């Protein structure tokens, strides 16, 4: 829910998005919860958001969703949305 970043399913975060700037370097990334052990999130305040939950694709869909199943469709969608071409590190030589 606004103004929180990431991808939410109701009041549960399924994907975290982050940007860090420091020492003239910008880092960014995302974490899509496919099939993690969600019990570990009971020991922390995820993303510093007290009272909000964490979920995964596996939990929401009711069956295991391994990263390998999500990776290719995710990368294809990323390229479409951001009008770019992604390269694997193997392709960079």
């Amino acid at each position: 829910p606004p103004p929180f970043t990431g991808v939410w399913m109701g009041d549960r975060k399924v994907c975290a998005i982050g940007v860090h700037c420091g020492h003239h370097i910008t880092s960014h990334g995302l974490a899509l919860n496919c099939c993690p052990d969600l019990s570990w999130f009971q020991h922390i305040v995820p993303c510093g958001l007290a009272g909000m939950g964490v979920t995964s694709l596996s939990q929401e869909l009711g069956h295991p969703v391994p990263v390998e199943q999500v990776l290719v469709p995710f990368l294809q969608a990323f390229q479409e949305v951001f009008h770019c071409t992604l390269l694997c590190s193997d392709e960079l030589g």
Side-chain angles (χ1 to χ4, degrees), residues 16-79:
I17 301 170
V19 176
H20 177 267
C21 301
H23 304 288
H24 307 289
I25 297 173
T26 302
S27 304
H28 55 277
L30 65 91
L32 176 60
N33 295 333
C34 293
C35 54
D37 178 355
L38 295 174
S39 67
W40 289 100
F41 289 103
Q42 297 172 7
H43 304 284
I44 64 171
V45 178
C47 301
L49 301 172
M52 304 302 278
V54 176
T55 191
S56 68
L57 294 176
S58 295
Q59 180 172 316
E60 295 299 321
L61 295 173
H63 61 84
V65 180
V67 172
E68 297 79 16
Q69 183 179 346
V70 175
L71 188 58
V72 170
F74 173 82
L75 294 175
Q76 289 172 340
F78 186 96
Q79 291 180 107

